[in-house]
């Protein structure tokens, strides 16, 4: 059997796509390996959202040249958003790369690899745009674990001015409800207890045949026997349906009260320039509204600092929203101008030093809020889904509470995927410590 090594960089969509690629390749007679030396095919599934992510992949490819030199038959491929973005340019930059393939072309992988292995072949660049894929009937091959990422849609129509996703992943399209539910049932049969529904904008998921919307889908997933928890990422703040909140309120043990609600910036003018479709006030109003319906909800978010034209005063609005919402977690980044986006033609006029300074200020604020949130948990009762041995202490296990915060428990209290009722007795940095009840 030939061996394939798939390395994943970037977001959860890429993680799900790597499992999909395994779903394409393993039935063709390949097995997964983690050993670069023994791999016949190495695929890097890449991200193009930030310039830094692309630079990192170019660095890794420089390093991986040695595998090609040792094993000339090795097929070294770059797939995913960076491949779609750079196309032939990637071969010019790293001529020892054999294959460049975009996210809508994975069905062509076995044929392309066979071609590359069969003769002295020129590198292949396959970045089709004549077909936007949903991979409806291809089921991913997942690794070990308790959580299954289930992609419910692909692409995005929102065209936030800073974002490259609509250009690399194409127009938004939803998978059929029947296929999604079949995939969830299969994941449960394979032992996964937590399901995370994935899409660039899950609120706009729609089954074109039945007319079902995301709230219907999440209800249906939550009712599948064996599904202990359902998470989703990401909804867009501009069109958050009440129906989804009601579904979560009806079944809070399974449809857990954690919402990743990307903010990106707190100032209305900056949000307008980003084409986000909501103002500072509308975002805060939505958060209040969600909290009225789901009082236990925890929010996490994504924030960009130093977007085109962002003044220091406008950045203060971001800090203000962070203080008012009190996010339980945040992915925080400096703005990075990307080719092909609308913001490519806007000035990147906040200096690198100033972006760094703002990022540090934001991180400090967010950390202090998270530290307070962690302390507020002490004394409360909750439920932890066990994930495995704690990376820091072998005698303890780690899991997550419904609000997605990590929690340490004594190892003796269960197995991976078990739900354990605990009282929070302590905290170590941002991690809770639970005592089983
Ligand atoms: S919603 Fe905006 S940020 Fe998110 S993927 Fe779509 S264009 Fe990008």
């Amino acid at each position: 059997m030939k061996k394939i090594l798939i390395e994943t960089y970037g977001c959860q969509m890429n993680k799900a796509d790597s499992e999909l690629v395994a779903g394409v390749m393993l039935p063709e007679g390949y097995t997964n390996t983690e050993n670069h030396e023994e791999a016949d095919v190495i695929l890097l599934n890449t991200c193009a959202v930030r310039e830094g992510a692309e630079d990192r992949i170019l660095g890794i490819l420089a390093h991986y040249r040695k595998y090609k030199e040792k094993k000339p038959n090795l097929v070294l491929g770059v797939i995913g958003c960076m491949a779609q973005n750079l196309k032939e340019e990637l071969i010019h930059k790293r001529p020892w790369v054999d294959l460049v393939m975009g996210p809508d072309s994975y069905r062509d992988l076995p044929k392309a690899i066979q071609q590359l292995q069969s003769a002295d072949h020129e590198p292949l660049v396959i970045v089709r745009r004549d077909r936007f894929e949903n991979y409806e009937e291809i089921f991913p091959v997942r690794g070990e674990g308790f959580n299954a990422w289930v992609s419910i849609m692909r692409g995005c129509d929102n065209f936030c001015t800073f974002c490259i996703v609509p250009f690399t992943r194409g127009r938004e399209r939803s998978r059929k409800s029947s296929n999604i539910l079949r995939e969830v049932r299969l994941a449960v049969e394979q032992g996964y207890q937590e399901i995370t529904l994935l899409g660039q904008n899950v609120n706009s998921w729609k089954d074109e045949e039945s007319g079902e919307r995301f709230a219907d889908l999440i209800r249906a997933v939550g009712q599948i026997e064996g599904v202990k928890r359902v998470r989703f990422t990401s909804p867009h703040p501009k069109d958050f349906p009440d129906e989804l909140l009601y579904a979560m309120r009806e079944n809070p043990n399974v449809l857990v009260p954690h919402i990743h609600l990307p903010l990106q910036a707190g100032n209305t003018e900056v949000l307008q320039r980003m084409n986000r479709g909501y103002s500072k006030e509308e975002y805060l109003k939505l958060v209040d509204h969600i909290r009225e319906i789901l009082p236990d909800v925890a929010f996490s978010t994504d924030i960009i600092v130093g977007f085109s034209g962002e003044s220091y005063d406008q950045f203060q609005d971001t800090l203000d929203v962070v203080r008012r919402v009190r996010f339980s977690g945040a992915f925080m980044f400096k703005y990075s101008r990307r080719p092909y986006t609308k913001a490519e033609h806007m000035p990147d006029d906040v200096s690198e030093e100033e972006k760094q300074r703002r990022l540090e200020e934001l991180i400090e604020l967010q950390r202090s809020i998270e530290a307070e949130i962690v302390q507020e948990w002490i004394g409360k009762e909750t439920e932890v889904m066990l994930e495995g041995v704690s990376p820091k202490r072998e005698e303890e296990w780690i899991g997550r509470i419904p609000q997605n915060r990590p929690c340490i428990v004594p190892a003796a209290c269960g197995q991976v995927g078990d739900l354990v009722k605990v009282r929070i007795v302590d905290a170590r940095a941002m991690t809770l410590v639970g005592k089983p009840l």
Side-chain angles (χ1 to χ4, degrees):
M1 272 200 160
K2 294 203 165 171
K3 296 196 169 156
I4 185 165
L5 189 153
I6 309 168
E7 282 183 358
T8 312
Y9 301 88
C11 64
Q12 292 99 336
M13 288 299 285
N14 264 14
K15 195 167 164 21
D17 269 11
S18 290
E19 294 173 344
L20 187 80
V21 167
V24 171
M25 292 304 296
L26 269 49
E28 298 290 323
Y30 280 82
T31 55
N32 277 320
T33 179
E34 291 182 6
N35 182 339
H36 294 80
E37 307 277 348
E38 67 173 29
D40 301 292
V41 177
I42 297 178
L43 299 178
L44 274 64
N45 189 5
T46 58
C47 170
V49 167
R50 268 166 281 282
E51 201 179 351
E54 286 193 349
D55 291 345
R56 183 170 168 220
I57 298 294
L58 291 173
I60 290 167
L61 288 170
H63 182 63
Y64 283 9
R65 185 180 193 170
K66 65 179 182 208
Y67 299 122
K68 280 289 294 180
E69 284 168 357
K70 275 195 211 157
K71 194 173 181 179
N73 281 344
L74 167 73
V75 173
L76 179 58
V78 179
I79 61 174
C81 291
M82 180 179 172
Q84 186 73 38
N85 189 28
L86 294 189
K87 305 180 181 69
E88 284 78 9
E89 198 186 328
L90 228 161
I91 303 286
H92 295 147
K93 288 185 179 198
R94 297 291 182 265
W96 52 93
V97 168
D98 301 294
L99 176 65
V100 175
M101 183 174 274
D104 286 302
S105 308
Y106 297 149
R107 280 178 203 275
D108 300 333
L109 255 176
K111 202 168 133 213
I113 290 172
Q114 199 183 20
Q115 247 176 304
L116 289 161
Q117 283 170 335
S118 61
D120 212 11
H121 211 288
E122 288 295 303
L124 292 176
V125 178
I126 306 173
V127 284
R128 56 192 311 162
R129 266 291 166 257
D130 54 332
R131 158 180 97 191
F132 287 133
E133 262 289 2
N134 246 349
Y135 301 107
E136 281 280 5
E137 79 302 348
I138 297 177
F139 283 173
V141 176
R142 301 190 161 86
E144 283 178 13
F146 63 97
N147 174 73
W149 303 100
V150 176
S151 176
I152 63 167
M153 60 200 300
R154 295 177 74 85
C156 184
D157 285 349
N158 285 314
F159 290 93
C160 300
T161 55
F162 56 82
C163 183
I164 200 165
V165 167
F167 304 95
T168 56
R169 288 185 169 268
R171 298 292 72 72
E172 184 178 284
R173 61 270 183 202
S174 299
R175 287 179 69 199
K176 286 185 198 144
S177 165
S178 53
N179 282 336
I180 296 168
L181 296 177
R182 196 141 47 96
E183 188 179 321
V184 172
R185 279 190 210 101
L186 189 69
V188 172
E189 275 168 32
Q190 291 168 339
Y192 298 92
Q193 290 112 332
E194 182 179 90
I195 303 295
T196 304
L197 302 176
L198 278 183
Q200 305 292 350
N201 181 10
V202 292
N203 295 348
S204 56
W205 177 88
K206 187 177 181 189
D207 187 310
E208 291 300 337
E209 279 172 20
S210 65
E212 287 164 279
R213 302 306 309 250
F214 184 59
D216 306 312
L217 178 71
I218 201 169
R219 268 198 185 97
V221 172
Q223 281 162 7
I224 290 177
E225 206 181 325
V227 172
K228 291 185 183 168
R229 277 185 182 171
V230 184
R231 300 185 182 277
F232 59 93
T233 190
S234 297
H236 197 298
K238 77 177 160 57
D239 48 14
F240 203 107
D242 278 357
E243 264 303 304
L244 174 56
L245 301 173
Y246 300 144
M248 293 171 78
R249 186 171 63 182
E250 280 160 25
N251 194 2
N253 291 336
V254 178
L255 311 183
V256 289
H258 170 240
I259 297 176
H260 186 77
L261 195 66
L263 168 66
Q264 307 300 5
N267 176 269
T268 299
E269 276 173 44
V270 175
L271 286 166
Q272 273 168 359
R273 284 202 294 281
M274 288 178 160
N275 191 32
R276 288 292 290 170
Y278 52 87
S279 65
K280 173 186 178 182
E281 290 68 30
E282 283 163 343
Y283 186 94
L284 289 169
K285 206 169 147 196
L286 173 64
V287 166
D288 288 345
H289 178 64
I290 294 175
R291 282 197 166 126
E292 271 171 31
I293 298 174
L294 303 172
D296 292 336
V297 73
F299 291 103
S300 56
T301 198
D302 301 321
I303 300 175
I304 296 170
V305 300
F307 184 66
S308 175
E310 184 190 71
S311 67
Y312 187 68
D313 277 355
Q314 289 174 329
F315 167 65
Q316 292 303 310
D317 275 329
T318 298
L319 299 183
D320 186 42
V321 176
V322 169
R323 276 188 210 100
R324 287 161 76 169
V325 178
R326 302 185 78 238
F327 296 105
S328 72
F331 297 101
M332 298 164 278
F333 304 100
K334 292 181 278 183
Y335 171 58
S336 158
R337 183 155 66 171
R338 305 305 294 129
Y340 308 117
T341 60
K342 204 163 176 200
E344 184 189 9
H345 308 290
M346 300 178 182
D348 188 6
D349 50 3
V350 180
S351 71
E352 195 50 35
E353 298 71 40
E354 179 57 18
K355 283 180 189 168
Q356 184 62 32
R357 220 191 57 70
R358 289 182 197 177
L359 182 65
E360 284 166 16
E361 196 174 339
L362 175 63
I363 290 173
E364 199 184 319
L365 173 64
Q366 176 57 29
R367 282 215 180 118
S368 67
I369 292 168
E370 266 189 71
E372 287 169 13
I373 291 174
V374 165
Q375 289 302 315
E376 287 161 13
W377 270 104
I378 295 178
K380 290 185 182 165
E381 290 179 11
T382 183
E383 204 168 42
V384 178
M385 179 178 268
L386 300 182
E387 295 180 5
V389 176
S390 159
K392 295 204 176 134
R393 296 188 196 184
E394 265 185 33
E395 68 279 15
E396 292 175 334
W397 274 39
I398 194 154
R400 272 171 202 272
I401 64 170
Q403 285 80 355
N404 211 29
R405 180 154 299 283
C407 181
I408 298 282
V409 289
C413 66
Q415 297 182 350
V416 173
D418 282 354
L419 290 170
V420 179
K421 287 207 177 343
V422 297
R423 175 171 290 113
I424 304 301
V425 291
D426 199 359
R428 287 188 210 142
M430 300 302 177
T431 302
L432 303 173
V433 180
K435 187 174 170 206
L437 291 170

